[in-house]
Amino acid sequence: MAGVVNDIEALAEFRAHLMRFNHDLAENFATIQAHWRELGEIWRDDMYRLFGEALEEVTPGITTYLSATEGHEAHLAALIERLSGYLETGAGAGLGVGRPPEARRGMAGGTGRGTGRRDRDSR
């Protein structure tokens, strides 16, 4: 079961990282847009306009990304909860969760040797 616990921890760590990244991205992007607008009174050359166009160009992509990853965050939270429930109740035992890879291969059916792919490939 140690492998499953590590997997849950890795999922939780990734979700936390994703949430921090998304928060920082949204906050910093809004800040740079506001700061750029404020500089419009001082910075009046073509580069100001070009920078603004670049911001406008990436805004829909950032908005789409942030919107899409809300669903990823929710999915990861549900997956973590489900896997934790399997570990807590022992329900994972019948699913090969926590079994060594050799034991899971045998669950594929028949001979207990998995698919037999290794036998064919070694010839």
Side-chain angles (χ1 to χ4, degrees), residues 56-93:
E56 287 178 19
E57 185 177 327
V58 299
T59 297
I62 290 174
T63 302
T64 299
Y65 165 80
L66 290 171
S67 178
T69 56
E70 285 178 14
H72 297 120
E73 292 171 16
H75 174 77
L76 286 168
L79 179 61
I80 292 164
E81 186 176 327
R82 204 168 48 235
L83 289 172
S84 295
Y86 285 139
L87 287 176
E88 290 172 8
T89 63

Short mmCIF file of all heavy atoms in Angstrom, two decimals, residues 56-93:
data_model
loop_
_atom_site.label_atom_id
_atom_site.label_comp_id
_atom_site.label_asym_id
_atom_site.label_seq_id
_atom_site.Cartn_x
_atom_site.Cartn_y
_atom_site.Cartn_z
N GLU A 56 -3.21 41.80 -24.97
CA GLU A 56 -4.54 41.47 -25.48
C GLU A 56 -4.54 40.12 -26.19
O GLU A 56 -5.51 39.37 -26.12
CB GLU A 56 -5.02 42.55 -26.44
CG GLU A 56 -5.42 43.84 -25.76
CD GLU A 56 -5.85 44.91 -26.76
OE1 GLU A 56 -6.19 44.57 -27.91
OE2 GLU A 56 -5.84 46.09 -26.38
N GLU A 57 -3.45 39.82 -26.87
CA GLU A 57 -3.36 38.56 -27.62
C GLU A 57 -3.34 37.35 -26.70
O GLU A 57 -3.96 36.32 -27.00
CB GLU A 57 -2.10 38.58 -28.49
CG GLU A 57 -1.98 37.37 -29.39
CD GLU A 57 -0.75 37.47 -30.29
OE1 GLU A 57 -0.37 38.58 -30.68
OE2 GLU A 57 -0.18 36.41 -30.57
N VAL A 58 -2.65 37.44 -25.57
CA VAL A 58 -2.54 36.28 -24.68
C VAL A 58 -3.68 36.19 -23.66
O VAL A 58 -3.89 35.13 -23.07
CB VAL A 58 -1.18 36.23 -23.95
CG1 VAL A 58 -0.04 36.12 -24.94
CG2 VAL A 58 -0.99 37.40 -23.01
N THR A 59 -4.42 37.25 -23.47
CA THR A 59 -5.49 37.25 -22.46
C THR A 59 -6.50 36.13 -22.67
O THR A 59 -6.82 35.43 -21.70
CB THR A 59 -6.18 38.63 -22.41
OG1 THR A 59 -5.22 39.61 -22.01
CG2 THR A 59 -7.35 38.64 -21.45
N PRO A 60 -7.03 35.91 -23.87
CA PRO A 60 -8.00 34.82 -24.03
C PRO A 60 -7.40 33.44 -23.68
O PRO A 60 -8.09 32.61 -23.08
CB PRO A 60 -8.39 34.88 -25.50
CG PRO A 60 -8.06 36.26 -25.95
CD PRO A 60 -6.89 36.68 -25.13
N GLY A 61 -6.13 33.23 -24.03
CA GLY A 61 -5.50 31.96 -23.71
C GLY A 61 -5.35 31.75 -22.22
O GLY A 61 -5.60 30.66 -21.70
N ILE A 62 -4.94 32.78 -21.53
CA ILE A 62 -4.79 32.68 -20.08
C ILE A 62 -6.14 32.47 -19.43
O ILE A 62 -6.30 31.64 -18.53
CB ILE A 62 -4.06 33.92 -19.52
CG1 ILE A 62 -2.60 33.88 -19.96
CG2 ILE A 62 -4.17 34.00 -18.00
CD1 ILE A 62 -1.79 35.11 -19.61
N THR A 63 -7.15 33.19 -19.89
CA THR A 63 -8.50 33.03 -19.36
C THR A 63 -9.01 31.60 -19.59
O THR A 63 -9.57 30.98 -18.68
CB THR A 63 -9.46 34.05 -20.01
OG1 THR A 63 -8.95 35.37 -19.75
CG2 THR A 63 -10.86 33.93 -19.47
N THR A 64 -8.80 31.08 -20.78
CA THR A 64 -9.23 29.71 -21.10
C THR A 64 -8.49 28.70 -20.23
O THR A 64 -9.09 27.78 -19.68
CB THR A 64 -8.99 29.40 -22.59
OG1 THR A 64 -9.76 30.32 -23.36
CG2 THR A 64 -9.36 27.99 -22.94
N TYR A 65 -7.18 28.87 -20.10
CA TYR A 65 -6.38 27.97 -19.28
C TYR A 65 -6.87 27.96 -17.83
O TYR A 65 -7.09 26.90 -17.24
CB TYR A 65 -4.90 28.37 -19.32
CG TYR A 65 -4.10 27.70 -18.23
CD1 TYR A 65 -3.67 26.38 -18.37
CD2 TYR A 65 -3.82 28.37 -17.05
CE1 TYR A 65 -2.99 25.76 -17.35
CE2 TYR A 65 -3.12 27.75 -16.04
CZ TYR A 65 -2.72 26.44 -16.18
OH TYR A 65 -2.04 25.83 -15.16
N LEU A 66 -7.04 29.14 -17.24
CA LEU A 66 -7.48 29.22 -15.85
C LEU A 66 -8.86 28.60 -15.65
O LEU A 66 -9.10 27.91 -14.67
CB LEU A 66 -7.45 30.67 -15.36
CG LEU A 66 -6.06 31.28 -15.20
CD1 LEU A 66 -6.16 32.77 -14.91
CD2 LEU A 66 -5.27 30.57 -14.10
N SER A 67 -9.74 28.82 -16.61
CA SER A 67 -11.08 28.23 -16.54
C SER A 67 -11.02 26.71 -16.63
O SER A 67 -11.68 26.01 -15.87
CB SER A 67 -11.94 28.81 -17.65
OG SER A 67 -13.22 28.24 -17.64
N ALA A 68 -10.23 26.21 -17.56
CA ALA A 68 -10.12 24.76 -17.75
C ALA A 68 -9.51 24.08 -16.55
O ALA A 68 -9.95 22.99 -16.15
CB ALA A 68 -9.30 24.45 -19.01
N THR A 69 -8.50 24.69 -15.95
CA THR A 69 -7.82 24.02 -14.85
C THR A 69 -8.63 24.03 -13.56
O THR A 69 -8.33 23.27 -12.65
CB THR A 69 -6.41 24.59 -14.61
OG1 THR A 69 -6.49 25.99 -14.40
CG2 THR A 69 -5.50 24.28 -15.78
N GLU A 70 -9.67 24.85 -13.47
CA GLU A 70 -10.58 24.74 -12.32
C GLU A 70 -11.18 23.34 -12.29
O GLU A 70 -11.31 22.73 -11.24
CB GLU A 70 -11.69 25.78 -12.41
CG GLU A 70 -11.25 27.18 -12.08
CD GLU A 70 -12.39 28.19 -12.22
OE1 GLU A 70 -13.56 27.79 -12.32
OE2 GLU A 70 -12.08 29.38 -12.25
N GLY A 71 -11.54 22.84 -13.47
CA GLY A 71 -12.08 21.49 -13.56
C GLY A 71 -11.03 20.44 -13.22
O GLY A 71 -11.35 19.41 -12.62
N HIS A 72 -9.79 20.69 -13.59
CA HIS A 72 -8.71 19.75 -13.26
C HIS A 72 -8.49 19.69 -11.76
O HIS A 72 -8.30 18.63 -11.19
CB HIS A 72 -7.41 20.14 -13.96
CG HIS A 72 -7.50 20.08 -15.44
ND1 HIS A 72 -7.30 21.17 -16.23
CD2 HIS A 72 -7.79 19.06 -16.28
CE1 HIS A 72 -7.45 20.83 -17.50
NE2 HIS A 72 -7.75 19.56 -17.55
N GLU A 73 -8.53 20.86 -11.12
CA GLU A 73 -8.36 20.92 -9.66
C GLU A 73 -9.47 20.13 -8.97
O GLU A 73 -9.21 19.36 -8.05
CB GLU A 73 -8.37 22.36 -9.18
CG GLU A 73 -7.17 23.18 -9.61
CD GLU A 73 -7.32 24.66 -9.30
OE1 GLU A 73 -8.20 25.03 -8.49
OE2 GLU A 73 -6.54 25.45 -9.86
N ALA A 74 -10.70 20.33 -9.42
CA ALA A 74 -11.83 19.62 -8.83
C ALA A 74 -11.71 18.11 -9.07
O ALA A 74 -11.99 17.31 -8.17
CB ALA A 74 -13.15 20.14 -9.41
N HIS A 75 -11.29 17.72 -10.26
CA HIS A 75 -11.12 16.30 -10.56
C HIS A 75 -10.05 15.68 -9.67
O HIS A 75 -10.24 14.58 -9.13
CB HIS A 75 -10.76 16.11 -12.04
CG HIS A 75 -10.43 14.70 -12.38
ND1 HIS A 75 -11.39 13.74 -12.55
CD2 HIS A 75 -9.24 14.09 -12.55
CE1 HIS A 75 -10.80 12.58 -12.82
NE2 HIS A 75 -9.49 12.77 -12.82
N LEU A 76 -8.93 16.37 -9.51
CA LEU A 76 -7.87 15.86 -8.66
C LEU A 76 -8.34 15.73 -7.21
O LEU A 76 -8.02 14.75 -6.55
CB LEU A 76 -6.63 16.76 -8.74
CG LEU A 76 -5.83 16.65 -10.02
CD1 LEU A 76 -4.81 17.79 -10.12
CD2 LEU A 76 -5.12 15.30 -10.10
N ALA A 77 -9.09 16.70 -6.73
CA ALA A 77 -9.60 16.63 -5.35
C ALA A 77 -10.50 15.41 -5.18
O ALA A 77 -10.38 14.68 -4.19
CB ALA A 77 -10.37 17.91 -5.01
N ALA A 78 -11.38 15.17 -6.14
CA ALA A 78 -12.27 14.01 -6.06
C ALA A 78 -11.48 12.71 -6.15
O ALA A 78 -11.78 11.74 -5.43
CB ALA A 78 -13.32 14.08 -7.18
N LEU A 79 -10.48 12.66 -7.01
CA LEU A 79 -9.67 11.47 -7.16
C LEU A 79 -8.90 11.18 -5.87
O LEU A 79 -8.86 10.04 -5.40
CB LEU A 79 -8.69 11.66 -8.33
CG LEU A 79 -7.73 10.50 -8.62
CD1 LEU A 79 -8.51 9.24 -8.98
CD2 LEU A 79 -6.80 10.90 -9.76
N ILE A 80 -8.32 12.19 -5.28
CA ILE A 80 -7.60 12.04 -4.02
C ILE A 80 -8.53 11.52 -2.94
O ILE A 80 -8.20 10.60 -2.19
CB ILE A 80 -6.94 13.37 -3.61
CG1 ILE A 80 -5.81 13.71 -4.58
CG2 ILE A 80 -6.43 13.33 -2.18
CD1 ILE A 80 -5.34 15.16 -4.52
N GLU A 81 -9.72 12.09 -2.86
CA GLU A 81 -10.70 11.66 -1.87
C GLU A 81 -11.11 10.21 -2.08
O GLU A 81 -11.19 9.42 -1.14
CB GLU A 81 -11.93 12.57 -1.92
CG GLU A 81 -12.94 12.30 -0.83
CD GLU A 81 -14.09 13.28 -0.85
OE1 GLU A 81 -13.87 14.46 -1.21
OE2 GLU A 81 -15.21 12.87 -0.53
N ARG A 82 -11.34 9.83 -3.33
CA ARG A 82 -11.74 8.47 -3.65
C ARG A 82 -10.64 7.47 -3.30
O ARG A 82 -10.89 6.44 -2.69
CB ARG A 82 -12.11 8.39 -5.14
CG ARG A 82 -13.05 7.28 -5.47
CD ARG A 82 -13.64 7.39 -6.87
NE ARG A 82 -12.66 7.65 -7.90
CZ ARG A 82 -12.70 8.66 -8.75
NH1 ARG A 82 -13.70 9.52 -8.70
NH2 ARG A 82 -11.78 8.83 -9.66
N LEU A 83 -9.41 7.78 -3.67
CA LEU A 83 -8.29 6.89 -3.37
C LEU A 83 -8.06 6.79 -1.87
O LEU A 83 -7.79 5.71 -1.35
CB LEU A 83 -7.01 7.38 -4.06
CG LEU A 83 -6.96 7.21 -5.58
CD1 LEU A 83 -5.74 7.89 -6.15
CD2 LEU A 83 -7.01 5.75 -5.98
N SER A 84 -8.20 7.89 -1.16
CA SER A 84 -8.06 7.86 0.30
C SER A 84 -9.13 6.99 0.91
O SER A 84 -8.86 6.23 1.85
CB SER A 84 -8.15 9.28 0.87
OG SER A 84 -7.07 10.05 0.43
N GLY A 85 -10.35 7.07 0.38
CA GLY A 85 -11.44 6.23 0.87
C GLY A 85 -11.15 4.75 0.67
O GLY A 85 -11.44 3.92 1.53
N TYR A 86 -10.58 4.40 -0.48
CA TYR A 86 -10.21 3.01 -0.73
C TYR A 86 -9.21 2.52 0.31
O TYR A 86 -9.31 1.42 0.81
CB TYR A 86 -9.61 2.83 -2.13
CG TYR A 86 -10.62 2.88 -3.25
CD1 TYR A 86 -10.32 3.56 -4.42
CD2 TYR A 86 -11.85 2.23 -3.17
CE1 TYR A 86 -11.22 3.60 -5.47
CE2 TYR A 86 -12.76 2.27 -4.20
CZ TYR A 86 -12.43 2.96 -5.35
OH TYR A 86 -13.33 3.00 -6.39
N LEU A 87 -8.24 3.36 0.61
CA LEU A 87 -7.22 2.95 1.58
C LEU A 87 -7.81 2.81 2.98
O LEU A 87 -7.49 1.88 3.70
CB LEU A 87 -6.08 3.97 1.60
CG LEU A 87 -5.15 3.95 0.40
CD1 LEU A 87 -4.12 5.07 0.52
CD2 LEU A 87 -4.45 2.62 0.27
N GLU A 88 -8.67 3.76 3.35
CA GLU A 88 -9.25 3.75 4.70
C GLU A 88 -10.18 2.57 4.92
O GLU A 88 -10.21 1.99 6.00
CB GLU A 88 -10.00 5.06 4.96
CG GLU A 88 -9.07 6.25 5.10
CD GLU A 88 -9.81 7.57 5.15
OE1 GLU A 88 -11.06 7.56 5.25
OE2 GLU A 88 -9.14 8.60 5.08
N THR A 89 -10.95 2.20 3.92
CA THR A 89 -11.94 1.13 4.09
C THR A 89 -11.42 -0.23 3.67
O THR A 89 -12.07 -1.23 3.90
CB THR A 89 -13.21 1.42 3.27
OG1 THR A 89 -12.86 1.44 1.88
CG2 THR A 89 -13.85 2.72 3.68
N GLY A 90 -10.27 -0.25 3.03
CA GLY A 90 -9.74 -1.52 2.54
C GLY A 90 -10.39 -1.94 1.24
O GLY A 90 -10.16 -3.03 0.74
N ALA A 91 -11.22 -1.07 0.65
CA ALA A 91 -11.91 -1.41 -0.60
C ALA A 91 -10.93 -1.59 -1.73
O ALA A 91 -11.22 -2.26 -2.71
CB ALA A 91 -12.93 -0.33 -0.95
N GLY A 92 -9.75 -1.02 -1.61
CA GLY A 92 -8.77 -1.13 -2.68
C GLY A 92 -8.19 -2.53 -2.81
O GLY A 92 -7.61 -2.87 -3.82
N ALA A 93 -8.37 -3.37 -1.80
CA ALA A 93 -7.76 -4.70 -1.83
C ALA A 93 -8.25 -5.53 -3.01
O ALA A 93 -7.49 -6.27 -3.60
CB ALA A 93 -8.04 -5.43 -0.52
#
